Amino acid sequence: MDPNAKPSLAGLSKEQLAEELNQAMGDFDEKTLTGRIENSLASFTQGSILEGTILKVVGSDVVVDIGYKSEGFIPLSEFNDKDEAAIGKPIEVYLEGADEETGLVMLSKRKADRIRGWERVIETHSVGDVVEGRVTRKIKGGLLVDIGVPVFLPASQVDIRRVPDVADYLGRTISAEIIKIDRDRRNIVLSRRQLLERERETQKKELFATLERGQIRRGIVKNITDFGAFVDLGGVDGLLHITDISWGRVTDPRQVVQVDQVLDVMVLDFDPDRERISLGLKQLTPNPWSDIRRRYPIGTRVKGVVVNLVPYGAFVKLEDGVEGLVHVSEMSWTKQVSHPSEIVQPNQEVEVVVLEIDEERQEISLGMKQVEEDPWNQVEAKYPPGLRVTGKVKNLTNYGAFVELEEGIEGLLHVSDISWTKKVTHPSAVLEKDQAVEAVVLSVDRERKRIALGIKQLDEDPWLTTIPRRFRVGSTTSGKVTKITSFGAFVELEQGLEGLLHVSEMSDDKVEKPEDAVQPGQEVQVRVINVDPVDRKIGLSMRASAAEEYPEEVESYAAESRGGTTLKSALSSALREAAIRKDVGGVPAAAPVVSESSDEPAGEASAAAPEPEAVKEESAPVEEPQAGDGGDPGEKPEGE
């Protein structure tokens, strides 16, 4: 029998078995053994961290011995490189769980690393510490930064200013300050903003201590707005206003500068108390307005490009930093330009003449029409007074019609020059737009660029020829009442010709109101008691006694034709008197055509008996111009 052979337990009594067990356990008692077994089982609960050894790599999994009845498996993707998955290498793993049916144990190296990393961070850092990490992900509300474990950086704490897109920081290594630690939830919050603000405060003090006006400083464009760009000078942002970016026109600062661009700028002004700095970029180059008169003498023809249109004109760029304004009134000699887009368009090259320079305000007045000769210089010679012309009605106003004689040249046909006899209150009563009309040139004012036209001057003035012949003082005629006024009634004697029947001439008896004697539309028999070719008036009477007071003077006409005053001389005298008594707005009256061999008796215009006092006072048509009539027709307004 082998002396080293262990005795068989078969056939031993319970007492013998208990003795054998006590000898095998040595110093371990039952309580100690039970505790060790419980601890061993507890170490294999889900969520615990275990120590293991890498056995091998099978496909996409790493097999790890963790001292359990089955090996565990870790996805190979959780290892950064192959060296980390070397066979025999000890490793800490996180127990995800075990499948009782298959016996597979799922482990995670990544979760174990995260938990151990969190524990290390908690042990080595506290609130207020500055840490460095790499931005790995953009999440809702901010960024994840890897400082050994993923921690949260809110979007509001990324920079001093609001960041348009925090994703621009992905992949960047940044420094930030820990502002919150939640041990229970394993959460850490960072702030890069607080760190930057402390650094800038130090830089700000240093900057203002050395800042001077006129200094050239280098900075970085941090933000761009519609009114300029903010440039970080190192601790303080200075404003580069849009007007100080370039001597030329800048409509958007982004046309010249970009975010993160490094710029050299001049310090124009600063206020340490308000922490404001005004910067300039254009001041680094010479001012093109310094010798503007030498380069652009008044009267010089130059070429430029239209850069902007405004309701009152067009801005033309002559060179970088130098623009001039072509006012709408300086675009055409003949056209009435209401908006510059009728003549020019943006980016169009134009030729202009320098009209005026204001160096202090940095303004240049330019003209386009001055490049060509003023056509009005030839108008006086081309359209002398008395010339018959044909044109087209371009526009109708309350006071007359504008007639185009040629492109850009228009004349005014005043309402008072449309008819000798008919009272025209608005040109639309006899004319239409685009209607072709014939007229006579009455006057030309080159300086004011006006031509006065007349239609009635195409014919002789009937008040100086036919009317005195047909309506002799004392003659009777019939007519229709057209209008009743407070002082009498107007009677139409023929188309376009009216006479005044004064209230005092309606009856030999006293008439209180004109409407007591006559009504509009009534046919009446009247006697001519006055014909005034100068004021263009005919006085009428219905009094029976007027036949004796105003006999028809047929015989006197024959006597005068044999004796002294002729009709021509009487009318000439009347015209001379009219020139003195009545101003027709600078438009000369057409000369009457009177035949030297006229057989009419002399004195026809002056043979009328004296007008009664009541007629003298109120016989003139006193109809006031109605609202919208365009004013007194005797006053010819300026052009439209």
Side-chain angles (χ1 to χ4, degrees), residues 378-392:
Q378 307 298 325
V379 165
E380 284 182 317
K382 194 172 182 179
Y383 299 101
L387 179 69
R388 290 190 174 214
V389 293
T390 301
K392 182 185 291 186

mmCIF file with all atom_site columns, all heavy atoms in Angstrom, residues 378-392:
data_model
loop_
_atom_site.group_PDB
_atom_site.id
_atom_site.type_symbol
_atom_site.label_atom_id
_atom_site.label_alt_id
_atom_site.label_comp_id
_atom_site.label_asym_id
_atom_site.label_entity_id
_atom_site.label_seq_id
_atom_site.pdbx_PDB_ins_code
_atom_site.Cartn_x
_atom_site.Cartn_y
_atom_site.Cartn_z
_atom_site.occupancy
_atom_site.B_iso_or_equiv
_atom_site.pdbx_formal_charge
_atom_site.auth_seq_id
_atom_site.auth_comp_id
_atom_site.auth_asym_id
_atom_site.auth_atom_id
_atom_site.pdbx_PDB_model_num
ATOM 1   N N   . GLN A 1 378 ? -31.056 126.910 -79.674 1.00 0.00 ? 378 GLN A N   1
ATOM 2   C CA  . GLN A 1 378 ? -31.503 127.082 -81.057 1.00 0.00 ? 378 GLN A CA  1
ATOM 3   C C   . GLN A 1 378 ? -33.008 127.330 -81.167 1.00 0.00 ? 378 GLN A C   1
ATOM 4   O O   . GLN A 1 378 ? -33.522 127.555 -82.262 1.00 0.00 ? 378 GLN A O   1
ATOM 5   C CB  . GLN A 1 378 ? -31.152 125.817 -81.866 1.00 0.00 ? 378 GLN A CB  1
ATOM 6   C CG  . GLN A 1 378 ? -29.689 125.391 -81.780 1.00 0.00 ? 378 GLN A CG  1
ATOM 7   C CD  . GLN A 1 378 ? -28.760 126.449 -82.336 1.00 0.00 ? 378 GLN A CD  1
ATOM 8   O OE1 . GLN A 1 378 ? -29.091 127.145 -83.302 1.00 0.00 ? 378 GLN A OE1 1
ATOM 9   N NE2 . GLN A 1 378 ? -27.583 126.589 -81.736 1.00 0.00 ? 378 GLN A NE2 1
ATOM 10  N N   . VAL A 1 379 ? -33.706 127.273 -80.031 1.00 0.00 ? 379 VAL A N   1
ATOM 11  C CA  . VAL A 1 379 ? -35.169 127.376 -80.089 1.00 0.00 ? 379 VAL A CA  1
ATOM 12  C C   . VAL A 1 379 ? -35.617 128.743 -80.564 1.00 0.00 ? 379 VAL A C   1
ATOM 13  O O   . VAL A 1 379 ? -36.555 128.860 -81.368 1.00 0.00 ? 379 VAL A O   1
ATOM 14  C CB  . VAL A 1 379 ? -35.760 127.050 -78.705 1.00 0.00 ? 379 VAL A CB  1
ATOM 15  C CG1 . VAL A 1 379 ? -37.221 127.494 -78.625 1.00 0.00 ? 379 VAL A CG1 1
ATOM 16  C CG2 . VAL A 1 379 ? -35.675 125.559 -78.444 1.00 0.00 ? 379 VAL A CG2 1
ATOM 17  N N   . GLU A 1 380 ? -34.978 129.810 -80.111 1.00 0.00 ? 380 GLU A N   1
ATOM 18  C CA  . GLU A 1 380 ? -35.398 131.157 -80.505 1.00 0.00 ? 380 GLU A CA  1
ATOM 19  C C   . GLU A 1 380 ? -35.315 131.348 -82.007 1.00 0.00 ? 380 GLU A C   1
ATOM 20  O O   . GLU A 1 380 ? -36.213 131.935 -82.619 1.00 0.00 ? 380 GLU A O   1
ATOM 21  C CB  . GLU A 1 380 ? -34.535 132.203 -79.790 1.00 0.00 ? 380 GLU A CB  1
ATOM 22  C CG  . GLU A 1 380 ? -34.902 132.395 -78.322 1.00 0.00 ? 380 GLU A CG  1
ATOM 23  C CD  . GLU A 1 380 ? -34.059 133.469 -77.653 1.00 0.00 ? 380 GLU A CD  1
ATOM 24  O OE1 . GLU A 1 380 ? -32.842 133.490 -77.881 1.00 0.00 ? 380 GLU A OE1 1
ATOM 25  O OE2 . GLU A 1 380 ? -34.644 134.262 -76.902 1.00 0.00 ? 380 GLU A OE2 1
ATOM 26  N N   . ALA A 1 381 ? -34.240 130.825 -82.589 1.00 0.00 ? 381 ALA A N   1
ATOM 27  C CA  . ALA A 1 381 ? -34.086 130.964 -84.034 1.00 0.00 ? 381 ALA A CA  1
ATOM 28  C C   . ALA A 1 381 ? -35.024 130.025 -84.794 1.00 0.00 ? 381 ALA A C   1
ATOM 29  O O   . ALA A 1 381 ? -35.505 130.358 -85.876 1.00 0.00 ? 381 ALA A O   1
ATOM 30  C CB  . ALA A 1 381 ? -32.639 130.701 -84.431 1.00 0.00 ? 381 ALA A CB  1
ATOM 31  N N   . LYS A 1 382 ? -35.288 128.863 -84.215 1.00 0.00 ? 382 LYS A N   1
ATOM 32  C CA  . LYS A 1 382 ? -36.104 127.860 -84.898 1.00 0.00 ? 382 LYS A CA  1
ATOM 33  C C   . LYS A 1 382 ? -37.592 128.132 -84.778 1.00 0.00 ? 382 LYS A C   1
ATOM 34  O O   . LYS A 1 382 ? -38.381 127.773 -85.676 1.00 0.00 ? 382 LYS A O   1
ATOM 35  C CB  . LYS A 1 382 ? -35.783 126.476 -84.308 1.00 0.00 ? 382 LYS A CB  1
ATOM 36  C CG  . LYS A 1 382 ? -36.290 125.320 -85.135 1.00 0.00 ? 382 LYS A CG  1
ATOM 37  C CD  . LYS A 1 382 ? -35.757 124.012 -84.587 1.00 0.00 ? 382 LYS A CD  1
ATOM 38  C CE  . LYS A 1 382 ? -36.218 122.833 -85.427 1.00 0.00 ? 382 LYS A CE  1
ATOM 39  N NZ  . LYS A 1 382 ? -35.696 121.550 -84.919 1.00 0.00 ? 382 LYS A NZ  1
ATOM 40  N N   . TYR A 1 383 ? -38.014 128.767 -83.669 1.00 0.00 ? 383 TYR A N   1
ATOM 41  C CA  . TYR A 1 383 ? -39.438 129.025 -83.439 1.00 0.00 ? 383 TYR A CA  1
ATOM 42  C C   . TYR A 1 383 ? -39.653 130.500 -83.112 1.00 0.00 ? 383 TYR A C   1
ATOM 43  O O   . TYR A 1 383 ? -39.959 130.866 -81.976 1.00 0.00 ? 383 TYR A O   1
ATOM 44  C CB  . TYR A 1 383 ? -39.959 128.152 -82.293 1.00 0.00 ? 383 TYR A CB  1
ATOM 45  C CG  . TYR A 1 383 ? -39.853 126.667 -82.559 1.00 0.00 ? 383 TYR A CG  1
ATOM 46  C CD1 . TYR A 1 383 ? -38.829 125.905 -82.007 1.00 0.00 ? 383 TYR A CD1 1
ATOM 47  C CD2 . TYR A 1 383 ? -40.780 126.019 -83.374 1.00 0.00 ? 383 TYR A CD2 1
ATOM 48  C CE1 . TYR A 1 383 ? -38.723 124.544 -82.255 1.00 0.00 ? 383 TYR A CE1 1
ATOM 49  C CE2 . TYR A 1 383 ? -40.693 124.660 -83.632 1.00 0.00 ? 383 TYR A CE2 1
ATOM 50  C CZ  . TYR A 1 383 ? -39.656 123.929 -83.066 1.00 0.00 ? 383 TYR A CZ  1
ATOM 51  O OH  . TYR A 1 383 ? -39.562 122.582 -83.321 1.00 0.00 ? 383 TYR A OH  1
ATOM 52  N N   . PRO A 1 384 ? -39.514 131.375 -84.094 1.00 0.00 ? 384 PRO A N   1
ATOM 53  C CA  . PRO A 1 384 ? -39.731 132.806 -83.834 1.00 0.00 ? 384 PRO A CA  1
ATOM 54  C C   . PRO A 1 384 ? -41.212 133.083 -83.592 1.00 0.00 ? 384 PRO A C   1
ATOM 55  O O   . PRO A 1 384 ? -42.085 132.367 -84.091 1.00 0.00 ? 384 PRO A O   1
ATOM 56  C CB  . PRO A 1 384 ? -39.238 133.472 -85.120 1.00 0.00 ? 384 PRO A CB  1
ATOM 57  C CG  . PRO A 1 384 ? -39.433 132.423 -86.171 1.00 0.00 ? 384 PRO A CG  1
ATOM 58  C CD  . PRO A 1 384 ? -39.177 131.111 -85.501 1.00 0.00 ? 384 PRO A CD  1
ATOM 59  N N   . PRO A 1 385 ? -41.544 134.135 -82.818 1.00 0.00 ? 385 PRO A N   1
ATOM 60  C CA  . PRO A 1 385 ? -42.948 134.501 -82.617 1.00 0.00 ? 385 PRO A CA  1
ATOM 61  C C   . PRO A 1 385 ? -43.647 134.762 -83.945 1.00 0.00 ? 385 PRO A C   1
ATOM 62  O O   . PRO A 1 385 ? -43.082 135.371 -84.852 1.00 0.00 ? 385 PRO A O   1
ATOM 63  C CB  . PRO A 1 385 ? -42.853 135.760 -81.757 1.00 0.00 ? 385 PRO A CB  1
ATOM 64  C CG  . PRO A 1 385 ? -41.545 135.625 -81.042 1.00 0.00 ? 385 PRO A CG  1
ATOM 65  C CD  . PRO A 1 385 ? -40.633 134.963 -82.006 1.00 0.00 ? 385 PRO A CD  1
ATOM 66  N N   . GLY A 1 386 ? -44.894 134.280 -84.030 1.00 0.00 ? 386 GLY A N   1
ATOM 67  C CA  . GLY A 1 386 ? -45.670 134.428 -85.252 1.00 0.00 ? 386 GLY A CA  1
ATOM 68  C C   . GLY A 1 386 ? -45.610 133.207 -86.155 1.00 0.00 ? 386 GLY A C   1
ATOM 69  O O   . GLY A 1 386 ? -46.419 133.080 -87.080 1.00 0.00 ? 386 GLY A O   1
ATOM 70  N N   . LEU A 1 387 ? -44.671 132.253 -85.867 1.00 0.00 ? 387 LEU A N   1
ATOM 71  C CA  . LEU A 1 387 ? -44.538 131.068 -86.721 1.00 0.00 ? 387 LEU A CA  1
ATOM 72  C C   . LEU A 1 387 ? -45.672 130.088 -86.439 1.00 0.00 ? 387 LEU A C   1
ATOM 73  O O   . LEU A 1 387 ? -46.009 129.830 -85.290 1.00 0.00 ? 387 LEU A O   1
ATOM 74  C CB  . LEU A 1 387 ? -43.185 130.384 -86.445 1.00 0.00 ? 387 LEU A CB  1
ATOM 75  C CG  . LEU A 1 387 ? -42.908 129.101 -87.241 1.00 0.00 ? 387 LEU A CG  1
ATOM 76  C CD1 . LEU A 1 387 ? -42.702 129.422 -88.713 1.00 0.00 ? 387 LEU A CD1 1
ATOM 77  C CD2 . LEU A 1 387 ? -41.692 128.379 -86.659 1.00 0.00 ? 387 LEU A CD2 1
ATOM 78  N N   . ARG A 1 388 ? -46.268 129.577 -87.537 1.00 0.00 ? 388 ARG A N   1
ATOM 79  C CA  . ARG A 1 388 ? -47.283 128.532 -87.383 1.00 0.00 ? 388 ARG A CA  1
ATOM 80  C C   . ARG A 1 388 ? -46.587 127.182 -87.248 1.00 0.00 ? 388 ARG A C   1
ATOM 81  O O   . ARG A 1 388 ? -45.728 126.859 -88.048 1.00 0.00 ? 388 ARG A O   1
ATOM 82  C CB  . ARG A 1 388 ? -48.233 128.516 -88.585 1.00 0.00 ? 388 ARG A CB  1
ATOM 83  C CG  . ARG A 1 388 ? -49.157 129.718 -88.645 1.00 0.00 ? 388 ARG A CG  1
ATOM 84  C CD  . ARG A 1 388 ? -50.220 129.529 -89.705 1.00 0.00 ? 388 ARG A CD  1
ATOM 85  N NE  . ARG A 1 388 ? -51.191 130.607 -89.682 1.00 0.00 ? 388 ARG A NE  1
ATOM 86  C CZ  . ARG A 1 388 ? -52.476 130.464 -89.952 1.00 0.00 ? 388 ARG A CZ  1
ATOM 87  N NH1 . ARG A 1 388 ? -52.942 129.257 -90.265 1.00 0.00 ? 388 ARG A NH1 1
ATOM 88  N NH2 . ARG A 1 388 ? -53.311 131.494 -89.922 1.00 0.00 ? 388 ARG A NH2 1
ATOM 89  N N   . VAL A 1 389 ? -47.016 126.426 -86.233 1.00 0.00 ? 389 VAL A N   1
ATOM 90  C CA  . VAL A 1 389 ? -46.378 125.130 -85.968 1.00 0.00 ? 389 VAL A CA  1
ATOM 91  C C   . VAL A 1 389 ? -47.464 124.085 -85.760 1.00 0.00 ? 389 VAL A C   1
ATOM 92  O O   . VAL A 1 389 ? -48.625 124.402 -85.486 1.00 0.00 ? 389 VAL A O   1
ATOM 93  C CB  . VAL A 1 389 ? -45.468 125.195 -84.719 1.00 0.00 ? 389 VAL A CB  1
ATOM 94  C CG1 . VAL A 1 389 ? -44.278 126.098 -84.951 1.00 0.00 ? 389 VAL A CG1 1
ATOM 95  C CG2 . VAL A 1 389 ? -46.268 125.651 -83.493 1.00 0.00 ? 389 VAL A CG2 1
ATOM 96  N N   . THR A 1 390 ? -47.063 122.822 -85.905 1.00 0.00 ? 390 THR A N   1
ATOM 97  C CA  . THR A 1 390 ? -47.956 121.695 -85.650 1.00 0.00 ? 390 THR A CA  1
ATOM 98  C C   . THR A 1 390 ? -47.308 120.806 -84.588 1.00 0.00 ? 390 THR A C   1
ATOM 99  O O   . THR A 1 390 ? -46.104 120.533 -84.650 1.00 0.00 ? 390 THR A O   1
ATOM 100 C CB  . THR A 1 390 ? -48.209 120.882 -86.923 1.00 0.00 ? 390 THR A CB  1
ATOM 101 O OG1 . THR A 1 390 ? -48.786 121.727 -87.909 1.00 0.00 ? 390 THR A OG1 1
ATOM 102 C CG2 . THR A 1 390 ? -49.168 119.725 -86.654 1.00 0.00 ? 390 THR A CG2 1
ATOM 103 N N   . GLY A 1 391 ? -48.092 120.378 -83.629 1.00 0.00 ? 391 GLY A N   1
ATOM 104 C CA  . GLY A 1 391 ? -47.561 119.519 -82.569 1.00 0.00 ? 391 GLY A CA  1
ATOM 105 C C   . GLY A 1 391 ? -48.612 118.568 -82.048 1.00 0.00 ? 391 GLY A C   1
ATOM 106 O O   . GLY A 1 391 ? -49.749 118.535 -82.527 1.00 0.00 ? 391 GLY A O   1
ATOM 107 N N   . LYS A 1 392 ? -48.221 117.785 -81.048 1.00 0.00 ? 392 LYS A N   1
ATOM 108 C CA  . LYS A 1 392 ? -49.118 116.802 -80.456 1.00 0.00 ? 392 LYS A CA  1
ATOM 109 C C   . LYS A 1 392 ? -49.338 117.136 -78.984 1.00 0.00 ? 392 LYS A C   1
ATOM 110 O O   . LYS A 1 392 ? -48.384 117.423 -78.260 1.00 0.00 ? 392 LYS A O   1
ATOM 111 C CB  . LYS A 1 392 ? -48.509 115.404 -80.570 1.00 0.00 ? 392 LYS A CB  1
ATOM 112 C CG  . LYS A 1 392 ? -49.413 114.297 -80.014 1.00 0.00 ? 392 LYS A CG  1
ATOM 113 C CD  . LYS A 1 392 ? -48.720 112.954 -80.048 1.00 0.00 ? 392 LYS A CD  1
ATOM 114 C CE  . LYS A 1 392 ? -48.527 112.450 -81.458 1.00 0.00 ? 392 LYS A CE  1
ATOM 115 N NZ  . LYS A 1 392 ? -47.987 111.066 -81.481 1.00 0.00 ? 392 LYS A NZ  1
#
